């Protein structure tokens, strides 16, 4: 099973989606589709990103607790 950070999508402010795991340590992101820079430290993106990352990590912990393996794709 792949880790949720590699499966969940995060909607960037520009309207494009990106795999959540790529944003794990990012403060800004330049969209590869439209080249718009997105500030991930500003609201509402900061709260949304924190919530989505927390959810993905919780799902992964539950998966591990059930004895299933987790493989990071990236």
């Amino acid at each position: 099973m792949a880790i949720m950070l590699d499966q969940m999508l995060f909607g960037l402010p520009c309207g494009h989606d990106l795999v959540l795991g790529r944003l794990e340590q990012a403060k800004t992101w330049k969209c590869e589709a439209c080249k718009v820079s997105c500030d991930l430290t500003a609201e509402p993106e900061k709260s949304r990103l924190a919530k989505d990352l927390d959810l993905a990590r919780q799902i992964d912990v539950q998966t591990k607790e059930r004895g299933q393996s987790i493989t990071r794709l990236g």
Side-chain angles (χ1 to χ4, degrees):
M1 171 173 215
I3 195 166
M4 288 308 295
L5 292 171
D6 290 338
Q7 294 179 344
M8 292 178 66
L9 296 177
F10 182 81
L12 295 170
C14 64
H16 293 101
D17 292 330
L18 183 66
V19 174
L20 183 60
R22 295 184 72 188
L23 300 172
E24 196 169 14
Q25 300 295 323
K27 305 248 187 270
T28 61
W29 189 267
K30 187 171 184 176
C31 178
E32 295 163 351
C34 67
K35 308 301 183 211
V36 169
S37 265
C38 305
D39 181 3
L40 301 172
T41 63
E43 294 298 340
E45 284 71 32
K46 179 180 179 179
S47 295
R48 270 191 328 115
L49 182 58
K51 180 181 168 190
D52 287 359
L53 286 168
D54 183 56
L55 175 61
R57 289 183 190 116
Q58 287 179 31
I59 292 169
D60 289 339
V61 166
Q62 291 171 2
T63 300
K64 287 179 185 178
E65 287 174 351
R66 288 191 305 265
Q68 296 173 313
S69 64
I70 299 218
T71 304
R72 184 76 191 237
L73 299 177

